[in-house]
Amino acid sequence: MAASAAMERLRYVLGLLLLLHSTDSFYVPGVAPINFHRNDPVEIKAVKLTSSRTQLPYEYYSLPFCQPSKITYKAENLGEVLRGDRIVNTPFQVSMNVEKKCEVLCNFPNKPVTLTVEQSKLIAERIREDYYVHLIADNLPVATRLEFYSNREEEEKKKEKDVQFEHGYRLGFMDGNKFYLHNHLSFILYYHREDVEESQEHTYRVVRFEVIPQSIKLEDLKADEKSMCTLPEATGSAPQEIDPTKENQLLFTYSVHWEESDIKWASRWDTYLTMSDVQIHWFSIINSVVVVFFLSGILSMIIIRTLRKDIANYNKEDDIEDTMEESGWKLVHGDVFRPPQYPMILSSLLGSGIQLFCMILIVIFVAMLGMLSPSSRGALMTTACFLFMFMGVFGGFFAGRLYRTLKGHRWKKGAFCTATLYPGVVFGICFVLNCFIWGKHSSGAVPFPTMVALLCMWFGISLPLVYLGYYFGFRKQPYDNPVRTNQIPRQIPEQRWYMNKFVGILMAGILPFGAMFIELFFIFSAIWENQFYYLFGFLFLVFIILVVSCSQISIVMVYFQLCAEDYRWWWRTFLVSGGSAFYVLIYAVFYFVNKLDIVEFIPSLLYFGYTALMVLSFWLLTGTIGFYAAYMFVRKIYAAVKID
């Protein structure tokens, strides 16, 4: 029976995976398509400069690039500002389906750009820090094509290369102790010709934006009075060196090449969203699903069989005297619902956990349906911020009802604690980190008006909603506990070493972490290495598995604790259920040491500061899931036995 049930469950999971795989490739673009006619201008905009070595984004014009006559910044949403995007126009003149062999970017063909010593030092420093430049054309990010041979047989190697794309293009490169700047950009834009009637003019849509950056010495670039230039032969050209100890002269140039493509506008993001190795991802996800469900099934069978036996024994009327002499979870029935210490803080943390749970569930589900496409820049972060504010009504409701159940009376103070405890910690850490980013003049620093707007959202939206939810939750009937609490607390026997709180955290955290650590790698890569993350179908499945595994492991841990006659389960369950957050912290340290090349103090501080916020949020989320699962379990088992 158990084997057939497990196979049935496995079939269901595989079917769900196939369904979610089809969901992964679907998305709703964030903007309507733009139709271009031949010679129509295609605007090239700059987004920012990024580096995975420093984690500090900078504005495009923080370096001495050629500037247009009028610099215009795009109005940005909250998510774009928080990401450090500063989208601005550039002097590149690109027209639809019009080739350009070589053109000087700045309007001084006979007068090269002269970089001062300070500017040369800055460019050299950015090249050393491995910065990438991010441009967009028709909202498509620029990508650099990388071709390489995979581990195939020798005969196949000659036929086919594997192609990958990296976001943006490298600012320059180093050779020994010398710095070289990519001062010539070869743009390759792909267009799709739309079907029109014979009498109408053809319309085109941009479907891919590639760049080949080159470093070409000033003497090798021959420019004329019309701002046209001649590129040297590839074999005979020397790169443009930037000497940080003196002034440097150079020309910024670019060329434009158009190619027709069969890719339709609706599929143009597929190139950017399929950069990960999907086969490895599939194998890892299926492996995690199978392991977690088999372990969960085993744990469920143990708990159900043991509990059925316990309840049957306790409910035998003939053996009441023997039952009273036994040790076990029934003996603490008079203390199991005794309110814990600091009920206000516990209910406040659980309220914030409910807020996070609702926000994450909705964001992942909506993103899985394709409504938070990367083409809508910053939409994911903007949605998450606003949803967290509006979910305050649910967080307040659950916190208020639990606080009343725990015999709390000061509901106004409890509501204020719920609305400010977790958001206050997040805001405090972010503000301190923001001060360091301000000191580096990075575009990643949140501007003061945006910070004031976030504070207004917190106190103008979240706080009133939390108070509203708390008021109704506190007025509602408290949770009905099936047994009465004794006036005198029962003495707790000495506990074995494996019942220690920290040991419980280590044991309980393994299963939920095992369910999601593969996805964690992709999320970390997206955050810290400027990759796109768009596998929300997988992420939704992993989130469901995380909820199931957290619930089941929490039930097992609280059952063992009550069998050891320790009734202080309220705080312990919350702490132990969040044990996987400890493993997330360990993994973050491992990722920092092995995957990232961060050596400076401020980037390291940013990494561990934001990681601390992630770990705290994950602990609140998993702790809340485990707490409510354990609470329902405890109420269920004590309602099932006869208590004299």
Side-chain angles (χ1 to χ4, degrees):
M1 290 288 290
S4 63
M7 287 302 295
E8 195 64 35
R9 187 181 293 178
L10 181 58
R11 272 196 217 103
Y12 171 74
V13 171
L14 290 174
L16 185 60
L17 276 169
L18 290 171
L19 178 66
L20 291 173
H21 176 62
S22 64
T23 309
D24 281 336
S25 58
F26 166 76
Y27 70 94
V28 179
V31 290
I34 298 177
N35 292 322
F36 295 92
H37 297 288
R38 183 178 170 82
N39 291 322
D40 281 355
V42 179
E43 195 170 5
I44 307 291
K45 294 184 177 180
V47 182
K48 58 183 173 182
L49 310 170
T50 63
S51 168
S52 58
R53 294 188 63 184
T54 68
Q55 302 299 331
L56 291 168
Y58 286 96
E59 291 188 36
Y60 181 71
Y61 290 122
S62 64
L63 292 181
F65 292 121
C66 294
Q67 298 183 3
S69 56
K70 182 181 179 183
I71 296 177
T72 308
Y73 284 90
K74 171 185 169 289
E76 292 166 331
N77 58 41
L78 178 62
E80 288 176 312
V81 174
L82 296 179
R83 279 162 39 105
D85 293 358
R86 301 293 183 269
I87 300 176
V88 65
N89 60 327
T90 62
F92 296 106
Q93 301 292 323
V94 177
S95 300
M96 172 56 71
N97 211 3
V98 175
E99 302 270 328
K100 283 190 178 181
K101 289 190 175 180
C102 182
E103 190 166 308
V104 178
L105 191 57
C106 298
N107 295 322
F108 308 109
N110 294 326
K111 185 181 178 185
V113 176
T114 302
L115 302 179
T116 63
V117 177
E118 289 77 15
Q119 290 173 334
S120 301
K121 278 183 183 176
L122 185 61
I123 288 180
E125 185 182 348
R126 295 286 181 265
I127 293 173
R128 183 192 290 112
E129 292 168 341
D130 202 19
Y131 266 85
Y132 282 72
V133 183
H134 297 273
L135 307 173
I136 53 173
D138 188 28
N139 204 39
L140 265 185
V142 74
T144 307
R145 180 189 290 259
L146 301 176
E147 295 183 344
F148 60 93
Y149 291 111
S150 61
N151 295 324
R152 295 195 183 95
E153 297 295 330
E154 291 297 325
E155 293 181 2
E156 294 184 10
K157 277 188 178 182
K158 297 176 183 177
K159 299 178 184 176
E160 188 179 350
K161 291 181 180 179
D162 280 343
V163 177
Q164 281 191 351
F165 294 90
E166 63 180 7
H167 308 302
Y169 68 89
R170 288 177 183 269
L171 177 63
F173 61 94
M174 290 182 65
D175 185 5
N177 292 323
K178 293 184 177 181
F179 303 92
Y180 299 98
L181 176 69
H182 285 140
N183 59 323
H184 177 81
L185 302 179
S186 298
F187 293 130
I188 305 172
L189 291 106
Y190 294 76
Y191 64 87
H192 181 75
R193 193 194 302 263
E194 296 299 306
D195 295 328
V196 293
E197 296 179 6
E198 292 183 6
S199 58
Q200 293 180 329
E201 186 182 353
H202 277 293
T203 59
Y204 308 90
R205 292 177 179 176
V206 179
V207 293
R208 189 185 293 179
F209 182 26
E210 292 180 22
V211 66
I212 301 174
Q214 293 174 268
S215 181
I216 304 175
K217 199 173 181 180
L218 173 64
E219 289 76 13
D220 294 338
L221 281 169
K222 298 171 184 176
D224 59 21
E225 293 292 336
K226 297 179 181 178
S227 295
M228 305 300 290
C229 53
T230 306
L231 292 175
E233 295 290 334
T235 54
S237 64
Q240 174 64 56
E241 184 183 351
I242 301 295
D243 189 343
T245 61
K246 63 179 185 181
E247 292 185 348
N248 292 273
Q249 289 192 330
L250 71 155
L251 282 177
F252 287 104
T253 58
Y254 70 104
S255 58
V256 181
H257 174 61
W258 289 90
E259 286 190 22
E260 189 168 2
S261 172
D262 294 331
I263 299 171
K264 294 191 176 180
W265 187 87
S267 305
R268 66 179 190 160
W269 275 85
D270 291 356
T271 304
Y272 303 91
L273 303 181
T274 55
M275 295 186 187
S276 321
D277 195 329
V278 178
Q279 289 182 338
I280 293 176
H281 200 97
W282 265 102
F283 176 78
S284 304
I285 288 290
I286 293 174
N287 186 49
S288 297
V289 168
V290 172
V291 170
V292 166
F293 269 85
F294 270 106
L295 287 175
S296 300
I298 292 168
L299 291 173
S300 302
M301 285 192 294
I302 292 171
I303 282 290
I304 290 168
R305 285 184 179 178
T306 310
L307 267 177
R308 278 182 179 168
K309 186 178 177 183
D310 285 350
I311 291 171
N313 287 338
Y314 288 141
N315 287 341
K316 284 180 183 175
E317 295 182 6
D318 301 335
D319 300 331
I320 290 178
E321 293 180 6
D322 296 337
T323 305
M324 293 303 291
E325 293 175 3
E326 290 180 13
S327 61
W329 53 271
K330 189 189 174 188
L331 295 182
V332 295
H333 69 84
D335 298 278
V336 71
F337 293 109
R338 186 178 302 282
Q341 287 184 310
Y342 314 114
M344 185 184 293
I345 297 176
L346 177 63
S347 59
S348 298
L349 291 174
L350 288 166
S352 296
I354 291 289
Q355 220 172 328
L356 276 171
F357 177 81
C358 295
M359 180 265 285
I360 291 171
L361 181 65
I362 295 172
V363 165
I364 295 176
F365 184 74
V366 170
M368 183 187 73
L369 297 179
M371 297 179 188
L372 296 177
S373 163
S375 58
S376 303
R377 298 178 182 280
L380 187 71
M381 198 172 290
T382 305
T383 305
C385 288
F386 277 97
L387 269 176
F388 183 79
M389 302 291 176
F390 287 110
M391 292 301 109
V393 67
F394 295 103
F397 179 84
F398 280 91
R401 192 173 183 194
L402 182 65
Y403 183 57
R404 185 174 181 188
T405 305
L406 299 178
K407 306 292 189 289
H409 301 291
R410 297 174 295 177
W411 74 270
K412 292 179 182 177
K413 188 176 179 182
F416 183 77
C417 188
T418 305
T420 56
L421 185 60
Y422 169 69
V425 171
V426 173
F427 186 82
I429 293 176
C430 288
F431 182 78
V432 171
L433 295 177
N434 208 49
C435 291
F436 285 98
I437 304 174
W438 264 331
K440 299 291 279 186
H441 305 290
S442 167
S443 65
V446 180
F448 186 73
T450 306
M451 198 168 287
V452 172
L454 286 171
L455 281 172
C456 291
M457 286 170 59
W458 179 13
F459 289 106
I461 300 174
S462 184
L463 189 72
L465 286 176
V466 170
Y467 264 90
L468 181 68
Y470 211 96
Y471 172 74
F472 285 105
F474 193 78
R475 284 188 60 188
K476 194 172 175 63
Q477 190 72 18
Y479 293 113
D480 183 28
N481 295 328
V483 292
R484 291 195 301 268
T485 302
N486 296 336
Q487 289 185 346
I488 302 172
R490 180 186 179 86
Q491 188 175 358
I492 299 170
E494 188 177 346
Q495 300 294 303
R496 299 290 183 91
W497 65 270
Y498 51 80
M499 295 304 294
N500 182 276
K501 200 176 294 179
F502 187 69
V503 175
I505 288 173
L506 292 178
M507 290 170 59
I510 293 174
L511 188 63
F513 179 75
M516 48 80 69
F517 84 97
I518 295 294
E519 216 59 33
L520 196 65
F521 168 78
F522 287 92
I523 292 171
F524 268 61
S525 298
I527 295 173
W528 302 113
E529 297 188 53
N530 297 310
Q531 301 293 321
F532 282 120
Y533 183 86
Y534 202 65
L535 299 167
F536 290 105
F538 286 122
L539 188 61
F540 183 75
L541 177 62
V542 168
F543 184 72
I544 299 300
I545 297 170
L546 181 68
V547 172
V548 172
S549 56
C550 276
S551 303
Q552 292 193 337
I553 206 74
S554 173
I555 290 169
V556 172
M557 298 302 288
V558 79
Y559 174 73
F560 287 153
Q561 183 182 349
L562 294 177
C563 285
E565 299 178 30
D566 185 356
Y567 55 81
R568 299 167 302 182
W569 63 273
W570 300 89
W571 272 105
R572 184 188 174 96
T573 301
F574 180 61
L575 294 170
V576 168
S577 301
S580 49
F582 174 75
Y583 289 97
V584 172
L585 178 62
I586 298 298
Y587 180 78
V589 174
F590 168 81
Y591 190 88
F592 178 83
V593 173
N594 287 276
K595 296 290 183 183
L596 297 178
D597 190 21
I598 296 176
V599 290
E600 295 181 16
F601 170 71
I602 290 181
S604 303
L605 182 70
L606 292 178
Y607 178 85
F608 285 106
Y610 289 128
T611 298
L613 289 181
M614 289 173 59
V615 170
L616 173 65
S617 304
F618 191 73
W619 171 65
L620 279 179
L621 174 70
T622 51
T624 301
I625 293 167
F627 175 86
Y628 276 100
Y631 190 26
M632 287 189 287
F633 169 76
V634 171
R635 289 172 60 201
K636 191 82 173 172
I637 63 172
Y638 282 99
V641 297
K642 296 175 183 176
I643 305 294
D644 292 340

